[in-house]
Amino acid sequence: GVAAARALDVPGRLLTRLFNIRAETLFGRMEEAGSADFLSGLLIGAEVAAAAGDAREVVVVGAAGLAARYRSALDQMGIAAVAAPPQAAATGLRLIAAARAR
């Protein structure tokens, strides 16, 4: 999925590629069991490609399973990924809420 996202040369092609996943499973060109992982890779890959710019390293904040997918996509794109501490998101949200309460 990540490789397919990197191959998208026009932003609007993502939508077309998303709809193709179902057709590929119906015609036996993609295993249905793997289509969810492919879809995840496609979406994460497209997001990273659009947002990373010329970044060489990013910090990944999120639940372990999802963060692992992002780290894999970043690795495939040649971008170093640093895992944030497990409670980083919760701590950040708590600090934002406290700052807004003042």
Side-chain angles (χ1 to χ4, degrees), residues 11-82:
R13 298 253 166 94
L14 176 61
L15 186 58
T16 301
R17 191 66 183 97
L18 289 170
F19 283 105
N20 285 345
I21 294 170
R22 180 65 180 144
E24 289 178 22
T25 60
L26 290 173
F27 292 115
R29 293 190 299 257
M30 180 183 293
E31 294 289 329
E32 191 167 337
S35 64
D37 286 335
F38 182 87
L39 172 61
S40 178
L42 180 65
L43 292 173
I44 290 172
E47 178 185 2
V48 169
D54 61 353
R56 294 182 183 191
E57 180 179 274
V58 298
V59 177
V60 178
V61 179
L66 187 57
R69 290 177 181 258
Y70 273 88
R71 285 193 311 274
S72 175
L74 288 160
D75 183 57
Q76 291 177 54
M77 294 184 175
I79 301 170
V82 177

